[in-house]
Amino acid sequence: MGIMLESRSLGVGLAKLTALVVACTLFITPELCSAQRSGWPTLAEVLHQNSLPFSPPDVDTATTITSYGVLNEPSQFVIAYYQYNGTDFLTPPLHVLRYDKTARQWYRREFNEGEVNVPFTAGLTPGQKPMVEDCFGSASISTAAGLLLIGTHLSPSAECTIILASNLKLVSAFSGWKIAALGSEILFERSEVHFAPTHPLRLALLDPATGRERNLFPPANDRLRKEFQQRLAALRDYDWCRVHNASCDPQEMSTDLGRIAVNADAEAVAIELTFSSEGFGPTAESQLGSEKCFYVFKLTPRLKYREFRESDLQRMFGIADPDTLVRPQVLRGIFAANNDK
């Protein structure tokens, strides 16, 4: 059966356990990343709240910490934080502590400014060199494929994810955030420029062991996306686009990610998407609006996909639901031998 997951939208907030975390604007210097002015706890208080039996050696637990993330599982406790220096700004390093509850052992790691960088590829034209993104911002923590993922938030649409082994050794990093884990691979959404007229969706798969990335969405020869782009092109308002400094390029149309379901055993994922006419002028928005579609991907033995309009799913299954699409019997029908996409 599929496991239903809620996706992170482009406007995701930076809520932390104790207070609001202020986002950093993409591509400004790390020193301008704001921390909350007051109300942050000490490291000792957070350890106590999470029922840690004893403190890490050679660590000042009386220090006040800021913009931190916590992961507390039966087998481990992990915290990533910055020391609060009494100012309104985050300053390096990013501290990471992990407690192995089975071995009763602490691990410690610090990341200084510029130590982990990733290429930022949103909005690039062919042949254009990617900008470099410093992985420095308020922290969050998750796991995938037996690894730790430290997310550092750079803007509501951009994040850097640092991948660490259990001993906190750096494995790799990427620009974006985890959507789901499928076996040994991580499904992630690539970072985007936040202050832009449109927000194209880009999904990819990462194999942390090899560093190999595979683009998942948008796929090549995507019929539904191409049809929506053609309607957008016919309705775009060039005068509006020029006044609002919008490219009005249908290839860069906004796509919002909705519900996601995965079937790890079948190595399949289904996603709910909404194509949007935002950023193309009032005529396109009023006459075309948006369209909801669903995509199903089979990752092995080679990457294949099928796409459906919401109305088609209602007719075929009586429900438009990603979880239905990754059920074994439904997958067999979707990816029958005569479907070669």
CSV table of all heavy atoms in Angstrom, one decimal, residues 70-73 75-80 96-99 107 109 140-151 161-174 178 186 208:
chain,number,residue,atom,x,y,z
A,70,VAL,N,15.6,19.8,15.8
A,70,VAL,CA,15.7,18.7,16.7
A,70,VAL,C,15.1,17.4,16.1
A,70,VAL,O,14.0,17.5,15.5
A,70,VAL,CB,15.1,18.9,18.1
A,70,VAL,CG1,15.0,17.6,18.9
A,70,VAL,CG2,15.9,19.9,18.9
A,71,LEU,N,15.8,16.3,16.2
A,71,LEU,CA,15.2,15.0,15.9
A,71,LEU,C,15.4,14.1,17.1
A,71,LEU,O,16.5,13.9,17.5
A,71,LEU,CB,15.9,14.4,14.6
A,71,LEU,CG,15.5,13.0,14.2
A,71,LEU,CD1,14.2,13.0,13.6
A,71,LEU,CD2,16.6,12.4,13.3
A,72,ASN,N,14.3,13.5,17.6
A,72,ASN,CA,14.4,12.7,18.7
A,72,ASN,C,13.6,11.4,18.4
A,72,ASN,O,12.4,11.3,18.3
A,72,ASN,CB,13.7,13.3,20.0
A,72,ASN,CG,14.1,12.6,21.3
A,72,ASN,OD1,14.7,11.6,21.2
A,72,ASN,ND2,13.8,13.2,22.4
A,73,GLU,N,14.4,10.3,18.1
A,73,GLU,CA,13.9,9.0,17.8
A,73,GLU,C,14.3,8.0,18.8
A,73,GLU,O,15.1,8.3,19.7
A,73,GLU,CB,14.4,8.6,16.4
A,73,GLU,CG,14.0,9.5,15.3
A,73,GLU,CD,14.6,9.0,14.0
A,73,GLU,OE1,15.7,8.4,14.0
A,73,GLU,OE2,14.0,9.2,12.9
A,75,SER,N,16.1,5.5,18.6
A,75,SER,CA,17.5,5.1,18.5
A,75,SER,C,18.5,6.2,18.6
A,75,SER,O,19.7,6.0,18.8
A,75,SER,CB,17.7,4.4,17.2
A,75,SER,OG,17.5,5.3,16.1
A,76,GLN,N,18.1,7.5,18.4
A,76,GLN,CA,19.0,8.6,18.4
A,76,GLN,C,18.3,9.9,18.7
A,76,GLN,O,17.1,10.1,18.5
A,76,GLN,CB,19.7,8.7,17.0
A,76,GLN,CG,18.7,9.0,15.9
A,76,GLN,CD,19.4,9.1,14.5
A,76,GLN,OE1,20.6,9.3,14.4
A,76,GLN,NE2,18.6,9.0,13.5
A,77,PHE,N,19.2,10.9,19.1
A,77,PHE,CA,18.8,12.3,19.3
A,77,PHE,C,19.8,13.1,18.5
A,77,PHE,O,21.0,12.9,18.6
A,77,PHE,CB,18.8,12.7,20.8
A,77,PHE,CG,18.7,14.1,21.0
A,77,PHE,CD1,17.4,14.8,21.0
A,77,PHE,CD2,19.8,14.9,21.2
A,77,PHE,CE1,17.3,16.1,21.2
A,77,PHE,CE2,19.7,16.3,21.4
A,77,PHE,CZ,18.4,16.9,21.4
A,78,VAL,N,19.3,14.1,17.8
A,78,VAL,CA,20.1,14.9,17.0
A,78,VAL,C,19.6,16.4,17.1
A,78,VAL,O,18.4,16.6,17.1
A,78,VAL,CB,20.1,14.6,15.5
A,78,VAL,CG1,21.1,15.4,14.7
A,78,VAL,CG2,20.4,13.1,15.3
A,79,ILE,N,20.6,17.3,17.3
A,79,ILE,CA,20.2,18.7,17.3
A,79,ILE,C,21.2,19.5,16.4
A,79,ILE,O,22.4,19.2,16.4
A,79,ILE,CB,20.2,19.3,18.7
A,79,ILE,CG1,19.8,20.8,18.7
A,79,ILE,CG2,21.5,19.1,19.5
A,79,ILE,CD1,19.5,21.3,20.1
A,80,ALA,N,20.7,20.4,15.7
A,80,ALA,CA,21.5,21.3,14.9
A,80,ALA,C,21.2,22.7,15.3
A,80,ALA,O,20.0,23.1,15.3
A,80,ALA,CB,21.3,21.1,13.4
A,96,VAL,N,26.3,20.6,15.2
A,96,VAL,CA,25.5,19.4,15.1
A,96,VAL,C,25.9,18.4,16.2
A,96,VAL,O,27.1,18.1,16.2
A,96,VAL,CB,25.6,18.8,13.7
A,96,VAL,CG1,24.7,17.6,13.6
A,96,VAL,CG2,25.2,19.8,12.6
A,97,LEU,N,25.0,18.0,17.0
A,97,LEU,CA,25.3,17.0,18.0
A,97,LEU,C,24.4,15.8,17.8
A,97,LEU,O,23.2,16.0,17.5
A,97,LEU,CB,25.0,17.5,19.4
A,97,LEU,CG,25.9,18.7,19.8
A,97,LEU,CD1,25.4,19.2,21.2
A,97,LEU,CD2,27.3,18.3,20.0
A,98,ARG,N,24.9,14.6,17.9
A,98,ARG,CA,24.1,13.4,17.8
A,98,ARG,C,24.4,12.4,18.9
A,98,ARG,O,25.6,12.2,19.2
A,98,ARG,CB,24.4,12.6,16.5
A,98,ARG,CG,23.6,11.3,16.3
A,98,ARG,CD,23.9,10.6,15.0
A,98,ARG,NE,23.1,9.3,15.0
A,98,ARG,CZ,23.6,8.2,15.4
A,98,ARG,NH1,24.9,8.1,15.8
A,98,ARG,NH2,22.9,7.1,15.3
A,99,TYR,N,23.3,11.9,19.5
A,99,TYR,CA,23.5,11.0,20.6
A,99,TYR,C,22.9,9.6,20.2
A,99,TYR,O,21.8,9.5,19.8
A,99,TYR,CB,22.8,11.4,21.9
A,99,TYR,CG,22.9,10.5,23.1
A,99,TYR,CD1,24.1,10.2,23.6
A,99,TYR,CD2,21.7,9.8,23.6
A,99,TYR,CE1,24.2,9.3,24.7
A,99,TYR,CE2,21.8,9.0,24.6
A,99,TYR,CZ,23.1,8.7,25.2
A,99,TYR,OH,23.2,7.8,26.2
A,107,TYR,N,28.2,12.3,19.3
A,107,TYR,CA,29.0,12.7,18.2
A,107,TYR,C,28.9,14.2,18.0
A,107,TYR,O,27.8,14.7,18.3
A,107,TYR,CB,28.6,12.0,16.9
A,107,TYR,CG,28.8,10.5,16.9
A,107,TYR,CD1,27.8,9.6,17.4
A,107,TYR,CD2,30.0,9.9,16.4
A,107,TYR,CE1,28.0,8.3,17.5
A,107,TYR,CE2,30.2,8.5,16.5
A,107,TYR,CZ,29.2,7.7,17.0
A,107,TYR,OH,29.4,6.4,17.0
A,109,ARG,N,29.9,17.8,15.5
A,109,ARG,CA,30.4,18.3,14.3
A,109,ARG,C,30.1,19.8,14.2
A,109,ARG,O,29.0,20.2,14.6
A,109,ARG,CB,29.8,17.6,13.1
A,109,ARG,CG,30.3,18.0,11.7
A,109,ARG,CD,31.8,17.5,11.5
A,109,ARG,NE,32.3,18.1,10.2
A,109,ARG,CZ,32.3,17.5,9.0
A,109,ARG,NH1,31.7,16.3,8.9
A,109,ARG,NH2,32.8,18.0,8.0
A,140,SER,N,16.7,22.4,10.2
A,140,SER,CA,15.7,21.4,10.4
A,140,SER,C,16.4,20.1,10.2
A,140,SER,O,17.4,20.0,9.5
A,140,SER,CB,14.5,21.6,9.5
A,140,SER,OG,14.9,21.5,8.2
A,141,ILE,N,15.8,19.0,10.7
A,141,ILE,CA,16.5,17.7,10.7
A,141,ILE,C,15.5,16.6,10.3
A,141,ILE,O,14.3,16.6,10.8
A,141,ILE,CB,17.1,17.3,12.0
A,141,ILE,CG1,18.1,18.4,12.5
A,141,ILE,CG2,17.9,16.0,11.9
A,141,ILE,CD1,18.6,18.1,13.9
A,142,SER,N,15.9,15.7,9.4
A,142,SER,CA,15.1,14.5,9.0
A,142,SER,C,16.0,13.4,8.7
A,142,SER,O,17.2,13.6,8.8
A,142,SER,CB,14.1,14.8,7.8
A,142,SER,OG,14.9,15.2,6.7
A,143,THR,N,15.5,12.3,8.3
A,143,THR,CA,16.3,11.1,8.0
A,143,THR,C,15.8,10.5,6.6
A,143,THR,O,14.7,10.7,6.2
A,143,THR,CB,16.3,10.0,9.0
A,143,THR,OG1,14.9,9.6,9.2
A,143,THR,CG2,16.8,10.5,10.4
A,144,ALA,N,16.7,9.8,6.0
A,144,ALA,CA,16.4,9.1,4.8
A,144,ALA,C,17.5,8.1,4.5
A,144,ALA,O,18.7,8.5,4.6
A,144,ALA,CB,16.2,10.0,3.6
A,145,ALA,N,17.2,6.9,4.1
A,145,ALA,CA,18.2,5.9,3.6
A,145,ALA,C,19.3,5.7,4.7
A,145,ALA,O,20.4,5.5,4.4
A,145,ALA,CB,18.8,6.3,2.3
A,146,GLY,N,18.9,5.8,6.0
A,146,GLY,CA,19.8,5.6,7.0
A,146,GLY,C,20.8,6.7,7.3
A,146,GLY,O,21.8,6.6,8.0
A,147,LEU,N,20.5,7.9,6.7
A,147,LEU,CA,21.4,9.1,6.8
A,147,LEU,C,20.6,10.2,7.5
A,147,LEU,O,19.4,10.2,7.5
A,147,LEU,CB,21.8,9.5,5.4
A,147,LEU,CG,22.6,8.5,4.6
A,147,LEU,CD1,22.7,8.8,3.2
A,147,LEU,CD2,24.0,8.3,5.2
A,148,LEU,N,21.4,11.2,8.0
A,148,LEU,CA,20.8,12.4,8.5
A,148,LEU,C,20.7,13.5,7.5
A,148,LEU,O,21.7,13.7,6.7
A,148,LEU,CB,21.6,12.9,9.7
A,148,LEU,CG,21.6,12.0,11.0
A,148,LEU,CD1,22.6,12.6,12.0
A,148,LEU,CD2,20.2,12.0,11.6
A,149,LEU,N,19.6,14.2,7.4
A,149,LEU,CA,19.5,15.3,6.5
A,149,LEU,C,19.3,16.6,7.3
A,149,LEU,O,18.3,16.7,8.0
A,149,LEU,CB,18.3,15.1,5.6
A,149,LEU,CG,18.5,14.2,4.3
A,149,LEU,CD1,19.0,12.9,4.7
A,149,LEU,CD2,17.2,14.2,3.5
A,150,ILE,N,20.3,17.5,7.2
A,150,ILE,CA,20.2,18.8,7.9
A,150,ILE,C,19.8,19.8,6.9
A,150,ILE,O,20.6,20.1,6.0
A,150,ILE,CB,21.5,19.1,8.6
A,150,ILE,CG1,22.1,18.0,9.4
A,150,ILE,CG2,21.4,20.4,9.4
A,150,ILE,CD1,21.3,17.6,10.6
A,151,GLY,N,18.6,20.3,7.0
A,151,GLY,CA,18.1,21.3,6.1
A,151,GLY,C,18.4,22.7,6.7
A,151,GLY,O,18.2,23.0,7.8
A,161,THR,N,20.3,21.2,1.7
A,161,THR,CA,20.2,19.9,2.6
A,161,THR,C,21.6,19.3,2.6
A,161,THR,O,22.2,18.9,1.6
A,161,THR,CB,19.2,19.0,2.0
A,161,THR,OG1,17.9,19.6,2.0
A,161,THR,CG2,19.1,17.7,2.9
A,162,ILE,N,22.1,19.2,3.9
A,162,ILE,CA,23.4,18.6,4.1
A,162,ILE,C,23.1,17.1,4.6
A,162,ILE,O,22.4,16.9,5.5
A,162,ILE,CB,24.1,19.3,5.2
A,162,ILE,CG1,24.3,20.8,4.9
A,162,ILE,CG2,25.5,18.7,5.5
A,162,ILE,CD1,24.8,21.7,6.0
A,163,ILE,N,23.8,16.2,3.9
A,163,ILE,CA,23.6,14.8,4.2
A,163,ILE,C,24.8,14.3,5.0
A,163,ILE,O,25.9,14.4,4.6
A,163,ILE,CB,23.5,13.9,2.9
A,163,ILE,CG1,22.3,14.5,2.1
A,163,ILE,CG2,23.2,12.5,3.2
A,163,ILE,CD1,22.1,13.8,0.7
A,164,LEU,N,24.5,13.7,6.2
A,164,LEU,CA,25.5,13.2,7.1
A,164,LEU,C,25.3,11.8,7.4
A,164,LEU,O,24.2,11.3,7.5
A,164,LEU,CB,25.5,14.0,8.4
A,164,LEU,CG,25.6,15.5,8.3
A,164,LEU,CD1,25.5,16.2,9.7
A,164,LEU,CD2,26.9,15.9,7.7
A,165,ALA,N,26.4,11.1,7.6
A,165,ALA,CA,26.4,9.7,8.1
A,165,ALA,C,26.1,9.7,9.6
A,165,ALA,O,26.1,10.8,10.3
A,165,ALA,CB,27.7,9.0,7.8
A,166,SER,N,26.0,8.5,10.2
A,166,SER,CA,25.7,8.5,11.6
A,166,SER,C,26.8,9.0,12.5
A,166,SER,O,26.5,9.5,13.6
A,166,SER,CB,25.3,7.0,12.0
A,166,SER,OG,26.5,6.2,11.7
A,167,ASN,N,28.0,9.0,12.0
A,167,ASN,CA,29.1,9.6,12.8
A,167,ASN,C,29.3,11.1,12.4
A,167,ASN,O,30.4,11.7,12.8
A,167,ASN,CB,30.4,8.8,12.5
A,167,ASN,CG,30.8,8.8,11.0
A,167,ASN,OD1,30.2,9.4,10.2
A,167,ASN,ND2,32.0,8.2,10.8
A,168,LEU,N,28.4,11.7,11.7
A,168,LEU,CA,28.3,13.1,11.3
A,168,LEU,C,29.4,13.4,10.2
A,168,LEU,O,29.7,14.6,10.0
A,168,LEU,CB,28.5,14.0,12.5
A,168,LEU,CG,27.5,13.8,13.6
A,168,LEU,CD1,27.6,15.0,14.6
A,168,LEU,CD2,26.1,13.8,13.1
A,169,LYS,N,29.9,12.4,9.6
A,169,LYS,CA,30.7,12.6,8.4
A,169,LYS,C,29.9,13.1,7.3
A,169,LYS,O,28.8,12.6,7.0
A,169,LYS,CB,31.4,11.3,8.0
A,169,LYS,CG,32.3,11.4,6.8
A,169,LYS,CD,33.0,10.1,6.4
A,169,LYS,CE,33.8,10.3,5.1
A,169,LYS,NZ,34.4,9.0,4.7
A,170,LEU,N,30.4,14.1,6.6
A,170,LEU,CA,29.7,14.7,5.4
A,170,LEU,C,29.7,13.8,4.3
A,170,LEU,O,30.7,13.3,3.8
A,170,LEU,CB,30.4,16.0,5.0
A,170,LEU,CG,29.8,16.8,3.8
A,170,LEU,CD1,28.4,17.2,4.1
A,170,LEU,CD2,30.7,18.0,3.4
A,171,VAL,N,28.5,13.4,3.8
A,171,VAL,CA,28.3,12.5,2.7
A,171,VAL,C,28.2,13.3,1.4
A,171,VAL,O,28.9,13.1,0.4
A,171,VAL,CB,27.1,11.6,2.9
A,171,VAL,CG1,26.8,10.8,1.6
A,171,VAL,CG2,27.2,10.8,4.1
A,172,SER,N,27.2,14.3,1.4
A,172,SER,CA,27.0,15.2,0.2
A,172,SER,C,26.0,16.2,0.6
A,172,SER,O,25.6,16.3,1.8
A,172,SER,CB,26.5,14.4,-1.0
A,172,SER,OG,25.2,13.8,-0.7
A,173,ALA,N,25.6,17.1,-0.4
A,173,ALA,CA,24.6,18.1,-0.1
A,173,ALA,C,24.0,18.4,-1.4
A,173,ALA,O,24.5,18.2,-2.5
A,173,ALA,CB,25.3,19.4,0.5
A,174,PHE,N,22.8,19.0,-1.3
A,174,PHE,CA,22.1,19.4,-2.5
A,174,PHE,C,21.2,20.6,-2.2
A,174,PHE,O,20.9,20.9,-1.1
A,174,PHE,CB,21.2,18.3,-3.1
A,174,PHE,CG,20.1,17.8,-2.2
A,174,PHE,CD1,18.9,18.4,-2.2
A,174,PHE,CD2,20.3,16.7,-1.4
A,174,PHE,CE1,17.9,17.9,-1.3
A,174,PHE,CE2,19.3,16.2,-0.5
A,174,PHE,CZ,18.1,16.8,-0.5
A,178,LYS,N,14.0,17.4,1.0
A,178,LYS,CA,13.4,16.1,0.9
A,178,LYS,C,11.9,16.1,0.8
A,178,LYS,O,11.3,16.8,1.6
A,178,LYS,CB,13.9,15.2,2.0
A,178,LYS,CG,13.4,13.7,1.9
A,178,LYS,CD,13.7,12.9,3.2
A,178,LYS,CE,12.6,13.2,4.2
A,178,LYS,NZ,12.6,12.2,5.3
A,186,ILE,N,16.6,9.5,-2.5
A,186,ILE,CA,15.8,10.5,-1.9
A,186,ILE,C,15.1,11.3,-3.0
A,186,ILE,O,15.8,11.8,-3.9
A,186,ILE,CB,16.8,11.5,-1.1
A,186,ILE,CG1,17.5,10.7,0.0
A,186,ILE,CG2,16.0,12.7,-0.5
A,186,ILE,CD1,18.6,11.5,0.7
A,208,PRO,N,22.4,9.0,-2.5
A,208,PRO,CA,23.5,9.6,-1.7
A,208,PRO,C,24.8,8.8,-1.7
A,208,PRO,O,25.8,9.4,-1.6
A,208,PRO,CB,22.9,9.6,-0.2
A,208,PRO,CG,21.4,9.4,-0.4
A,208,PRO,CD,21.2,8.7,-1.7
